[in-house]
Amino acid sequence: MAKPLRLHPDRLFPAEPETRAIARRLHAEIEGLPIVSPHGHTDPAWFATNDLWSDPAALLITPDHYVFRMLFSQGVALEDLGVPRTDGGPVETDPRAIWRRFADRYHLFRGTPSRMWHDWVYSEVFGLDVRLSAETADHYYDVIDAALQTEAFRPRALFEKYNIEVIATTESALDTLDHHAALQSSGWSGRVITTFRPDAVLDPEFEGFHANLDRLSAITGEDARDWDGYRAALRVRRAFFIARGATASDHGHPTAATADLSDTDIRALFARVAAGPVTAAEAELFRAQMLTEMAAMSLDDGLTMQIHPGSFRNHNAHVFNRFGRDKGADIPTRTDYVTALKPLLDRFGSEPGLTIIVFTLDETSYARELAPLAGHYPALRLGPPWWFHDSPEGMRRFREQATETAGFYNTVGFNDDTRAFLSIPARHDVARRMDCGWLARLVVEHRMEEDEAHELARALTYDLVKAAYQL
């Protein structure tokens, strides 16, 4: 017999009655605030074309690496989930079969953030009132599939239904941004902007790097194999992204290393990089220098700078070779910030007109490094719990370790960092509830007055993210 699916109205709030009552009051005031999603990986084509989603699997499974990394860990082949292969080889094309494989293993997600997000979507978006299982798989599929064929479930309609004020997608520095151009001329009032992600032309170890330099030359009219031309080309592309709405850049380097080389040394290093190949140490030094160069350009053109280091990308070589990037095989690494960021901070850390948001997958660095840095340097802000730590436990650990030194106002609210569109309101629901619970604890411990907590709840939900990303 199918078991009921119910979302408790007090989910994620503290269990202690007085604290829970305060959390309820705080949440009631911010629950309906618009969603600001300043960093994510949703596809701008969804909003540009406004086409109906083809099926439940395409909406909820195939684009979500949180889902298929768990299933892969339990022996499910990515081909069986419809994940495209780089060689164009055969994969499952029957969305109902994909859905059934997922439903049959839904128990694997117990206790994970993905379970919370999916249950929210099933209940709040599709009105389902029984739990997903092998028994209810076809019922789920039929209900969701029928809804996806209606006008109310087109991307723009859902954008408006869930009160999304702005979404920032993330595109390569070489992207044509055609979908963003189409959106700008569409007459639709929804705000979908891009984010400048230059890893493909900053990282000598990025696949196809030298071809990417040639492509950069072709689309900018600058010689990207020459140091001066290369920097000029990057400025051209940044301006192009800004014209399509960008307010931020994003840098996913392996480490947080920065450098501040002399002009002579950087020209010599770039000559080696442009000719290639280079050693791993030279590649790291070049990436480090380019983070500092990007900060200098941000000071000029105003883009907020995001640094997302500390991920060993594409750790599973078999998966990378077969399916390409971003297939759930990225693994956190230990990351140094105090010494790594010092060259950049020596030049720009005291600039009040520059905003650099630093994220981490290394939670041991919160209290030891990141909170003290952000609690001192005017240019530095702490990004929210990211990726593996976008969870109730991760959010709680972040507040516990960062607040005592950085406070609340050196953080930047929440971002969902998602590829799965409907997880946006689901994730923001979790973040808002966790922040209200944390603030309620401070009130009940007489560390803060309740009126201050109400101000902070709004700031953490809406005001800080708008300010940090200039939205």
Side-chain angles (χ1 to χ4, degrees):
M1 181 177 178
K3 297 178 180 179
L5 171 64
R6 290 188 293 262
L7 299 184
H8 197 286
D10 288 334
R11 61 192 180 278
L12 298 174
F13 291 162
E16 193 277 322
E18 183 182 0
T19 314
R20 175 168 285 196
I22 296 170
R24 285 178 187 149
R25 294 197 292 271
L26 295 173
H27 186 255
E29 289 201 359
I30 57 93
E31 181 180 14
L33 287 176
I35 289 174
V36 177
S37 178
H39 172 85
H41 302 278
T42 52
D43 187 344
W46 294 343
F47 309 104
T49 64
N50 202 32
D51 290 337
L52 294 169
W53 270 283
S54 59
D55 59 78
L59 175 66
L60 294 165
I61 300 176
T62 306
D64 192 345
H65 62 78
Y66 287 84
V67 169
F68 54 72
R69 78 183 306 272
M70 174 65 80
L71 298 179
F72 181 79
S73 77
Q74 289 284 313
V76 180
L78 295 186
E79 288 92 340
D80 290 340
L81 300 172
V83 178
R85 283 170 42 172
T86 55
D87 64 0
V91 301
E92 179 64 74
T93 58
D94 180 353
R96 190 179 291 271
I98 294 170
W99 187 265
R100 286 172 175 166
R101 291 187 182 104
F102 170 57
D104 190 46
R105 297 165 177 83
Y106 194 52
H107 64 279
L108 298 175
F109 295 91
R110 288 171 178 162
T112 69
S114 291
R115 172 65 182 266
M116 285 190 308
W117 303 330
H118 275 256
D119 281 353
W120 186 94
V121 169
Y122 302 145
S123 177
E124 295 292 313
V125 180
F126 295 106
L128 289 153
D129 59 5
V130 294
R131 286 182 227 167
L132 179 60
S133 65
E135 179 186 0
T136 61
D138 283 338
H139 170 63
Y140 261 70
Y141 189 93
D142 292 338
V143 169
I144 296 172
D145 192 51
L148 296 182
Q149 307 313 309
T150 66
E151 293 298 309
F153 281 82
R154 288 188 185 273
R156 293 182 186 181
L158 289 170
F159 187 103
E160 293 163 0
K161 177 180 180 179
Y162 291 105
N163 197 19
I164 298 174
E165 183 173 310
V166 58
I167 283 178
T169 65
T170 304
E171 278 73 49
S172 160
L174 302 174
D175 198 287
T176 62
L177 302 186
D178 290 344
H179 295 304
H180 287 279
L183 278 164
Q184 287 182 328
S185 61
S186 69
W188 178 50
S189 61
R191 189 178 179 196
V192 179
I193 62 176
T194 186
T195 300
F196 180 70
R197 179 75 174 242
D199 298 357
V201 292
L202 298 192
D203 182 357
E205 295 180 321
F206 199 100
E207 62 268 20
F209 175 74
H210 291 98
N212 294 340
L213 291 185
D214 293 337
R215 174 65 179 153
L216 181 63
S217 297
I219 62 179
T220 62
E222 303 285 350
D223 181 4
R225 298 278 189 141
D226 169 80
W227 174 240
D228 293 322
Y230 174 67
R231 288 192 297 173
L234 290 170
R235 291 191 186 96
V236 168
R237 294 306 290 170
R238 290 171 68 98
F240 180 75
F241 273 67
I242 290 169
R244 292 289 181 262
T247 66
S249 67
D250 183 39
H251 307 273
H253 291 198
T255 75
T258 64
D260 189 17
L261 301 176
S262 69
D263 184 67
T264 299
D265 287 344
I266 184 55
R267 287 178 183 276
L269 176 60
F270 182 75
R272 296 194 296 275
V273 165
V278 293
T279 66
E282 289 172 325
E284 175 72 344
L285 181 59
F286 184 73
R287 288 189 296 263
Q289 179 65 31
M290 291 312 300
L291 281 181
T292 306
E293 298 289 339
M294 291 292 101
M297 292 185 191
S298 281
L299 198 58
D300 291 337
D301 62 27
L303 287 183
T304 293
M305 184 176 179
Q306 302 172 96
I307 305 177
H308 284 84
S311 177
F312 191 125
R313 306 263 176 181
N314 312 300
H315 191 273
N316 187 324
H318 169 77
V319 168
F320 175 68
N321 292 333
R322 198 169 181 86
F323 299 96
R325 288 180 165 265
D326 304 320
K327 296 301 182 290
D330 299 343
I331 307 296
T333 62
R334 287 177 295 179
T335 307
D336 162 67
Y337 294 92
V338 171
T339 56
L341 291 175
K342 193 171 190 313
L344 186 155
L345 294 174
D346 281 346
R347 278 189 64 180
F348 300 118
S350 299
E351 293 282 354
L354 176 65
T355 299
I356 303 171
I357 303 172
V358 182
F359 294 77
T360 190
L361 292 174
D362 179 3
E363 291 184 307
T364 65
S365 67
Y366 281 149
R368 185 184 65 246
E369 300 184 37
L370 285 176
L373 286 168
H376 172 75
Y377 284 98
L380 209 60
R381 295 289 182 269
L382 295 188
W386 168 46
W387 202 343
F388 292 88
H389 310 308
D390 179 10
S391 65
E393 291 78 14
M395 293 172 187
R396 189 178 295 114
R397 289 191 296 265
F398 175 77
R399 293 294 177 207
E400 288 174 345
Q401 296 184 55
T403 305
E404 62 185 5
T405 307
F408 290 103
Y409 293 93
N410 284 315
T411 64
V412 298
F414 176 69
N415 74 57
D416 47 77
D417 190 36
T418 187
R419 289 177 170 78
F421 178 49
L422 287 179
S423 78
I424 293 174
R427 293 180 189 211
H428 283 263
D429 175 67
V430 172
R432 293 177 186 196
R433 289 173 177 275
M434 290 304 300
D435 279 337
C436 288
W438 178 252
L439 294 171
R441 172 183 159 184
L442 298 185
V443 173
V444 81
E445 292 176 356
H446 305 293
R447 298 167 61 189
M448 180 187 299
E449 297 299 327
E450 188 168 336
D451 64 300
E452 295 178 292
H454 281 279
E455 291 179 7
L456 267 170
R458 178 188 167 89
L460 295 175
T461 299
Y462 187 74
D463 298 331
L464 292 177
V465 66
K466 295 257 295 186
Y469 286 89
Q470 307 169 79
L471 297 169

